[in-house]
Amino acid sequence: MNKIIAFLLFVISTSSLFAENNLPATSDPVMKEKADKQMKLQNRMVLNSAVEAYAKNLPQKVDKYTTFTKVEAKDLTLVRTYEINTGSKSDQAVQNEDRSRMHDAVKYGVCTTSKRFLDSDINLSYVYKSAKSKVELFRFDISAKDCANIWAGLE
């Protein structure tokens, strides 16, 4: 898994370098639009490669309560779906009691481990479902903007 992540980070960083060197340095709006389209195309290719790499190892046990079950690309967002074994707690209780803690933990983890995705305008979405009922318990959508304070050392 670490080799996959290292490979994907390498692909992202090299595609960014190549894209920066090949994009026109101009203030012409038409040329900027073309450059933006080229960058988005490259980011989609990176995203699709990431989805393929992650999907090969699914389902994957994360801890004694959580299993990584699905990964997909939606536009320029990597969507990772997990199922949580909530034990005897109801879905409503988990949603009410654990949302804030889960949000903070997921946000910090994503911001500290996925900076290259986020810097490449690839957003990340984490979906947590109940393993029993398949009801969506949480959805956390994270973009580079959400990580600014963490990256600046303010959180």
Side-chain angles (χ1 to χ4, degrees), residues 25-138:
T26 181
S27 59
D28 179 4
V30 172
M31 292 305 289
K32 282 187 176 188
E33 184 179 340
K34 287 182 182 181
D36 287 346
K37 284 182 182 179
Q38 179 63 32
M39 184 63 83
K40 283 184 180 182
L41 178 63
Q42 289 175 349
N43 289 348
R44 277 193 180 88
M45 290 170 47
V46 167
L47 185 55
N48 289 334
S49 294
V51 168
E52 286 178 30
Y54 284 124
K56 289 179 184 177
N57 297 311
L58 297 181
Q60 183 178 28
K61 194 84 168 150
V62 176
D63 58 33
K64 72 181 194 176
Y65 303 105
T66 313
T67 303
F68 181 17
T69 58
K70 182 179 174 185
V71 62
E72 61 188 320
K74 290 189 178 179
D75 195 30
L76 282 176
T77 301
L78 178 66
V79 181
R80 296 172 58 122
T81 302
Y82 296 85
E83 288 187 358
I84 302 173
N85 179 349
T86 59
S88 61
K89 286 176 100 174
S90 71
D91 293 345
Q92 190 65 43
V94 171
Q95 290 169 324
N96 292 339
E97 297 168 13
D98 299 330
R99 179 173 186 71
S100 178
R101 178 185 56 79
M102 286 287 294
H103 176 265
D104 292 346
V106 169
K107 178 181 166 186
Y108 184 81
V110 169
C111 292
T112 57
T113 63
S114 301
K115 188 172 187 317
R116 290 190 186 219
F117 278 117
L118 296 166
D119 281 343
S120 297
D121 291 326
I122 295 173
N123 296 317
L124 301 163
S125 184
Y126 285 69
V127 178
Y128 291 86
K129 293 183 175 185
S130 167
K132 287 186 284 187
S133 68
K134 306 301 183 204
V135 167
E136 185 175 305
L137 301 171
F138 315 111

